[in-house]
Amino acid sequence: MGKKYNIAVIGGDGTGPEVVAEGLKVLKAASSKFGFSYDTTMFDYGGERYLKTGKTITDEELEGLKKFDAIYLGAIGHPDVKPGILEQGILLKIRFALDQYINLRPVKLYNEAYCPLKDKKPEDVDFVVVRENSEGLYKGLGSFENKGTKNEVAIQISHNTRKGVERCIRFAFEYCKKRNSKKKKLTLCGKTNVLTFAWDLWQRTFDEVKKEYPDIQTEYVNVDATTMWFVKNPEWFDVIVTDNMFGDIITDLGAMVQGGMGIAAGGNINPEGVSMFEPIGGSAPKYTGKHVINPLAGICALGMLLENIGEEKAGKAVENTVIRLVQTKIENLSAGKMGYTTEEVGDMVAGGL
Ligand code: IPM
Ligand code: MN
């Protein structure tokens, strides 16, 4: 008999719940095929609850999430709530409170037709970004001086600790070592030429840790140049490690290169604790309830969740089913242009497993 898992589900805002519902269909199909069982507990954290109660997520609720094997998240962000409140109050709070210090974002092209880059094939776009997920500019440190006056100064601090940087870099080396790729290359993406405190620490830490991984080829690339190479020569990359802010930016570009927000998934990982998986796109309010949102990014996130909890075979099978589907049936990944409803796409993956 297989194992049993407890999964927390946060549908969240906008199209989040619709996407998650399709992921849960796939989870059900995967559990019967691969012989594991699970319980899901649904949580209503998000914009609607905030508007009704003024609550984002409480400390007790955060504690509660620590008891699960994994968290499956749809999207956070509501048009009637001022930007920042839900993002900081729910999404970033969970990432920080559960110390999900890695944001793992695979950039993989499943079908040549989706790539906006000329002449790039699936084998050319297949890399992973390891984004530091607990520090940097996201730490929220800073201040105003003379706020509201002509002499106003706003200071926003990037906070990088040796421990935080090192655990992220180590994770990236280990991930690169285990990853099934021929390149075995880890790229440090930063800005050593301008941000001479933070990136000095990153570079020194990287240079130290790399001595323990003689089989991994390493390189340093500035973040601006990285965006250029993503477009020009994505085939150069294997694993990229970077800080929170740069990782946020380059993974949106990565998502476009792999075919858009309809397919891009990621994991907020605490290798020693509870991790959370989510499609990297937003809550897409204008498509809410229209049955046109693409659930594949959410389904790919579910695949990553399965791999993370120890159901590697099931996770791989989910990914392979998605690959088959996007190579044979779904010609356009954009919301409203798939040629199928959200539910039909979910059914196709669940059935195809
Ligand atoms: C992401 C998102 C979040 C981030 C926002 C919603 C706070 O853009 O997951 O990339 O900046 O990390
Ligand atoms: Mn982002």
Side-chain angles (χ1 to χ4, degrees), residues 225-240:
T226 304
T227 62
M228 178 175 81
W229 297 125
F230 268 22
V231 172
K232 202 165 177 292
N233 293 96
E235 66 277 8
W236 286 355
F237 295 109
D238 181 7
V239 180
I240 299 169

Side-chain angles (χ1 to χ4, degrees), residues 215-264:
D215 298 337
I216 293 176
Q217 193 197 327
T218 57
E219 67 176 4
Y220 170 81
V221 183
N222 283 324
V223 61
D224 46 351
T226 304
T227 62
M228 178 175 81
W229 297 125
F230 268 22
V231 172
K232 202 165 177 292
N233 293 96
E235 66 277 8
W236 286 355
F237 295 109
D238 181 7
V239 180
I240 299 169
V241 63
T242 190
D243 78 358
N244 212 339
M245 187 78 259
F246 294 162
D248 177 48
I249 297 167
I250 67 172
T251 54
D252 266 26
L253 179 58
M256 288 304 125
V257 169
Q258 75 183 118
M261 288 302 179
I263 196 81

Side-chain angles (χ1 to χ4, degrees), residues 76 87 91-92 95 103 105 131 138 248 252 278 280:
I76 296 289
E87 291 84 348
L91 182 63
L92 298 182
R95 288 180 183 170
N103 197 323
R105 297 190 161 177
R131 165 185 173 190
Y138 279 69
D248 177 48
D252 266 26
E278 54 175 334
I280 87 169

